Amino acid sequence: MAKQSALDTLLELAQTRTDDAAKRLGALNAQGLDMEAKLALLVQYWQEYSARFQASMQQGITASDWRNYQEFLNKLDAAVVQQRELLAATQQRVEVGRMAWQSATRTLKSYHTLAQRQMRAELLHLARHEQKETDERAVNAAARPKESY
């Protein structure tokens, strides 16, 4: 009975770890999606601002306006690069989280397999015990003298 109790405890801990890893992975995935959306917005804004700059240049702009456009585009470039780096780091964390979840899931499945084996062994032991008792009753019944009527 102590083995069953210990295995139940292991199963509960493994289930908790798997659930926690799944929650962390979900949060990391959401964070990754958020990072991708921010990057897409930055790229879109950079493209729009760049198109506006090109249109202004065709109409003619002052040197100070040209410098302002260039400085802002450089800042947008830097923001895009930084966001790509953040996204790459987040994607690495997602992969680590995925591996942790997969590991926790494998452990849980292993414990489930052990529990099933233990259950089958206990059922087999119980069936053998019941068969032994049935056989003993049959032998005892056959050995009793029969009453005549």
Side-chain angles (χ1 to χ4, degrees), residues 55-144:
S56 294
M57 283 186 48
Q58 288 176 355
Q59 294 174 358
I61 58 172
T62 65
S64 65
D65 286 343
W66 183 87
R67 195 171 36 259
N68 288 340
Y69 269 110
Q70 284 298 324
E71 286 177 11
F72 192 70
L73 281 172
N74 288 339
K75 288 179 183 179
L76 281 175
D77 281 336
V80 167
V81 167
Q82 182 181 18
Q83 190 63 31
R84 283 192 175 127
E85 290 170 356
L86 289 171
L87 177 59
T90 300
Q91 288 170 335
Q92 288 176 341
R93 285 193 303 275
V94 167
E95 190 55 33
V96 168
R98 185 181 341 284
M99 289 187 300
W101 172 76
Q102 289 171 338
S103 175
T105 300
R106 279 192 303 275
T107 301
L108 179 61
K109 286 180 180 179
S110 296
Y111 289 148
H112 275 297
T113 300
L114 287 174
Q116 290 171 346
R117 286 181 189 161
Q118 183 178 7
M119 176 85 65
R120 282 192 298 268
E122 288 175 4
L123 289 173
L124 182 60
H125 177 73
L126 182 60
R128 287 180 180 163
H129 181 72
E130 288 175 357
Q131 184 64 44
K132 182 179 175 184
E133 287 180 353
T134 301
D135 291 347
E136 286 176 3
R137 280 192 295 262
V139 167
N140 288 341
R144 271 189 250 142

Side-chain angles (χ1 to χ4, degrees), residues 7-61:
L7 186 55
D8 285 343
T9 302
L10 288 174
L11 276 166
E12 288 175 20
L13 286 172
Q15 184 66 56
T16 299
R17 287 182 181 143
T18 302
D19 293 346
D20 290 346
K23 287 176 189 173
R24 280 191 303 276
L25 180 57
L28 288 169
N29 277 327
Q31 188 178 29
L33 292 173
D34 184 49
M35 293 286 180
E36 287 174 359
K38 286 179 182 177
L39 178 59
L41 282 173
L42 279 171
V43 169
Q44 178 185 358
Y45 189 56
W46 183 91
Q47 290 169 342
E48 290 171 0
Y49 198 78
S50 181
R52 215 178 311 150
F53 175 56
Q54 294 297 325
S56 294
M57 283 186 48
Q58 288 176 355
Q59 294 174 358
I61 58 172

